[in-house]
Amino acid sequence: MIETTRPFTPDWVSPPGDTIADILEKRDWTQAQLAERLGYTTKHISLLINGKAPINEETALKLERVLGSTAAFWLKREAQYRATLAKKEEETRLKEWISWLDQLPVKELMNQGVIPKCNLIAKNKPGVVKNLLQFFGVASPEDWQKYYGSLEVNFRRTREEQSDVGAIAAWLRLGEIEAEKLDCPKYSKSKFEKAVQEIRTLTVLPPAEFEPRMQQLCRESGVVLVLIPSIKGAYVSGVARWLNPHKALIQLSLYGKTNDRFWFNFFHEAAHILLHNKENIFLDEWDSGKSLESELEREADQWSREFLIPCEYEGELAQLKSKADVVDFAARIGIHSGIVVGRLQHDHLIDRSWMNGLKESFCFQGVE
């Protein structure tokens, strides 16, 4: 049997000074003699040989003249040494950062294919740390904490249980990555107001028909709409935030998966973009029953309710006692009947077990 050759990966680091020392030995020169020829002090030569002083362009040219080879050789040797040294130092740091994994939904991200799958044993954990740093686009767990810790201050949550910052941060980052792939013009409030008016007319269509048009209308207004599967522990249905002063993001998780929830969530997030400032991150869950007191959230809720079912029709809601009544009413005001059912249930005008057959369960491509 032929044994597979493994790549040579030494666990030691050889400075360019080793090569200098070898040449001195062959020529039977002392460090003092080399110092005289190079115009350096003996101390500096000692630092070079021990890897304490780097070989710069001037030193490389001097070594070329005195010891031979080329300046490029000496600079490459130095670069390789520093890169190897940095890698060894990184390996040490990654081991020190393993405890950071406890704050993150590591297995969930592996299952979603965000980072490579592996057994979470000790020898694999430094590599997992590195993959997650690359995923979040930060240099260290400390930098992650500074960035996402500051984001947490701006979260406007709808339930006390939304405290898993790691899960929330992972879900937000997935949305950022998708948004970065999409170009759009600068945000225009007037264009977005017109966009949401047209999007309301799309509620009667199936996802395959309304999704591309909906995303196009948002993007043309300077708002990126992305659908990201929920992350266990995040408890989020949607978020509205600004990626920069000119680009807004609405991110939905399909938490609940029925069309009444989807459309209420979308217009709720749209309200945040239209009504509220750019500093906050509005992180929401559908009807948790444990809503935190927030005037901004109440405003977004009210705007979404009235946008879907205008105030002049509210008096008719209590009279809708059958599926036929709901279907006729929904057709008259131009929205899907499932949205009307969701409103009736939320307002306790009908039991939550009634008329659910008028709702539709959504399944978007690439979103489970």
Side-chain angles (χ1 to χ4, degrees), residues 62-101:
K62 288 186 175 183
L63 289 171
E64 177 184 76
R65 291 193 290 268
V66 175
L67 299 183
S69 193
T70 64
F73 165 81
W74 292 109
L75 289 172
K76 183 178 179 181
R77 184 78 170 80
E78 174 68 24
Q80 289 174 333
Y81 168 64
R82 296 299 167 186
T84 304
L85 197 63
K87 184 177 179 181
K88 300 298 290 185
E89 291 172 351
E90 182 191 44
E91 289 173 355
T92 299
R93 286 194 298 269
L94 291 175
K95 290 178 181 178
E96 294 172 349
W97 293 338
I98 284 175
S99 61
W100 177 53
L101 299 179

Side-chain angles (χ1 to χ4, degrees), residues 45 51 53-54 97 100 119 136 166 179 235 243 254 258 264 306 349 362:
I45 295 300
W97 293 338
W100 177 53
N119 293 324
F136 282 108
Y235 301 111
L243 299 175
L254 283 190
T258 54
F264 184 88
E306 294 177 1
L349 295 173
F362 280 168

Side-chain angles (χ1 to χ4, degrees), residues 196-217:
V196 294
Q197 289 288 346
E198 181 173 339
I199 290 171
R200 184 181 181 278
T201 69
L202 304 180
T203 64
V204 298
L205 301 177
E209 294 183 34
F210 75 68
E211 182 188 359
R213 179 59 179 160
M214 182 183 182
Q215 291 185 323
Q216 179 187 6
L217 287 167

Side-chain angles (χ1 to χ4, degrees), residues 122-135:
K123 70 174 184 178
N124 292 337
K125 287 183 177 181
V128 176
V129 171
K130 183 176 181 179
N131 289 333
L132 285 168
L133 290 173
Q134 291 174 334
F135 164 66

Side-chain angles (χ1 to χ4, degrees), residues 164-304:
D164 190 338
V165 177
I168 294 171
W171 186 75
L172 290 175
R173 178 58 180 157
L174 288 168
E176 291 173 358
I177 291 171
E178 288 303 308
E180 288 166 1
K181 300 175 184 177
L182 302 172
D183 293 325
C184 64
K186 290 184 178 181
Y187 171 73
S188 166
K189 184 176 182 179
S190 60
K191 286 184 178 180
F192 190 49
E193 288 173 334
K194 292 178 182 178
V196 294
Q197 289 288 346
E198 181 173 339
I199 290 171
R200 184 181 181 278
T201 69
L202 304 180
T203 64
V204 298
L205 301 177
E209 294 183 34
F210 75 68
E211 182 188 359
R213 179 59 179 160
M214 182 183 182
Q215 291 185 323
Q216 179 187 6
L217 287 167
C218 288
R219 193 159 59 248
E220 289 174 350
S221 308
V223 179
V224 176
L225 171 65
V226 297
L227 305 176
I228 304 295
S230 59
I231 292 284
K232 184 178 180 181
Y235 301 111
V236 288
S237 59
V239 68
R241 58 188 296 210
W242 290 83
L243 299 175
N244 59 53
H246 308 295
K247 186 177 184 179
L249 168 66
I250 292 177
Q251 182 174 335
L252 302 176
S253 70
L254 283 190
Y255 186 83
K257 296 189 179 180
T258 54
N259 63 338
D260 62 319
R261 296 187 176 196
F262 174 84
W263 288 115
F264 184 88
N265 289 341
F266 169 75
F267 289 113
H268 176 99
E269 306 307 341
H272 283 310
I273 299 298
L274 289 169
L275 303 178
H276 301 140
N277 64 51
K278 298 181 179 182
E279 285 72 38
N280 291 322
I281 296 175
F282 297 96
L283 196 69
D284 300 295
E285 182 195 319
W286 170 268
D287 193 22
S288 68
K290 298 182 180 179
S291 181
L292 299 181
E293 289 299 318
S294 166
E295 184 61 32
L296 301 182
E297 289 300 331
R298 284 194 293 269
E299 286 178 0
D301 276 349
Q302 191 64 26
W303 190 95
S304 184

